[in-house]
Amino acid sequence: MARADPRDVFVLKAGRTPCEIKDLPAGAVVGTSSIRRTAQIALKYPHLRVQDIRGNVPTRLRKLDADDSPFDAIIIAAAGLLRLGLAHRISQYLDSTSGGMLYAVGQGAIVVETRADDQNMSRILSKIEDKSATLACFAERSLLRTLEGGCSAPLGVETKWLQPQLLQMNAIVVSVSGSESVRSEMQAPVETPVEADQFGKSVAADLLRKGADRILAAIQAKKMTRPADLEQT
């Protein structure tokens, strides 16, 4: 269906003086459970500290605002706050031009899954399909699949329709420490799922040529040496 705002947002603890993420002082604590966000914070804002925070949106906000909270701010998906009527909590939208952070593959999208052979249901659902959202998400998922990443991959993406059939994709792979990163920005005509899939593969190939495979391999090797009960989920 139509995609909600896919960006991440910066949310300050209630009562703090309004500011952007770049204005936080050295040592300030930002809450997130995402390796992707953690890596990009380490890359862009090495003076900040990251601490794990979990739970649904209201739970995270309660943890942030608690009197004894260790957090100065959290980073969370815009879509969750907007769908819950909590837009007033957003201190800053984060993207490639504001905050310098890219979002997760498919973020903000709602997908309805059906049986592949159920043509009747496919016809019914075609009436609510948003083609631009579908194709953008197909391209993003193709990128992720080609890189053989998952929800724990430090991959950020940003897609934008420059024209009705011209899709632009920005993508970044970052080491968890923020010490290494590779980026790609490409444009391509995308009118079909096949073209979307190929576009995602092309962006992935560009990232791999620039060294993304080395970064991802190092992260995977580190995960393999950790006890199962310490794995991030």
Side-chain angles (χ1 to χ4, degrees):
M1 297 187 289
R3 190 176 189 177
D5 194 317
R7 292 175 292 179
D8 280 340
V9 290
F10 173 66
V11 179
L12 280 168
K13 183 173 182 174
R16 280 191 63 106
T17 302
C19 71
E20 296 185 350
I21 188 171
K22 65 179 176 60
D23 301 318
L24 287 178
V29 178
V30 178
T32 178
S33 59
S34 162
I35 291 179
R36 171 184 56 82
R37 293 173 182 143
T38 297
Q40 291 188 84
I41 291 171
L43 174 67
K44 294 286 294 184
Y45 308 102
H47 64 289
L48 301 179
R49 293 170 51 211
V50 175
Q51 187 167 322
D52 189 64
I53 188 170
R54 296 182 181 275
N56 58 28
V57 172
T59 296
R60 295 188 191 204
L61 291 176
R62 284 196 298 271
K63 290 180 178 180
L64 170 66
D65 295 337
D67 291 339
D68 59 350
S69 169
F71 304 105
D72 296 284
I74 61 173
I75 295 179
I76 198 167
L81 290 169
L82 296 174
R83 287 171 177 147
L84 292 173
L86 296 170
H88 63 282
R89 290 304 308 265
I90 298 174
S91 303
Q92 179 188 8
Y93 285 90
L94 303 173
D95 55 30
S96 58
T97 58
S98 175
M101 295 181 62
L102 306 188
Y103 49 81
V105 165
Q107 190 159 295
I110 292 180
V111 179
V112 181
E113 184 174 352
T114 70
R115 295 185 301 274
D117 60 352
D118 192 337
Q119 299 302 315
N120 187 48
M121 185 57 68
S122 293
R123 284 193 296 271
I124 292 171
L125 291 176
S126 68
K127 299 181 184 300
I128 62 170
E129 180 184 15
D130 184 293
K131 187 175 180 180
S132 62
T134 298
L135 293 177
C137 287
F138 278 179
E140 293 172 16
R141 286 170 60 84
S142 174
L143 165 69
L144 181 64
R145 185 170 56 250
T146 304
L147 293 176
E148 298 183 348
C151 62
S152 62
L155 166 69
V157 68
E158 182 179 82
T159 51
K160 182 186 304 182
W161 291 99
L162 303 180
Q163 298 174 14
Q165 288 85 38
L166 182 62
L167 185 63
Q168 175 178 287
M169 182 184 292
N170 293 330
I172 186 171
V173 173
V174 190
S175 64
V176 178
S177 67
S179 60
E180 294 184 89
S181 66
V182 293
R183 300 173 181 270
S184 179
E185 179 177 327
M186 299 179 68
Q187 302 172 9
V190 174
E191 298 184 59
T192 67
V194 171
E195 290 176 342
D197 184 72
Q198 184 54 54
F199 183 39
K201 290 178 180 177
S202 297
V203 177
D206 188 45
L207 288 170
L208 291 170
R209 281 193 297 270
K210 294 174 178 177
D213 53 343
R214 184 184 66 256
I215 295 173
L216 295 171
I219 292 170
Q220 184 62 29
K222 186 173 182 179
K223 287 175 62 179
M224 294 294 289
T225 63
R226 297 176 64 192
D229 61 341
L230 293 181
E231 287 288 346
Q232 295 281 345
T233 58

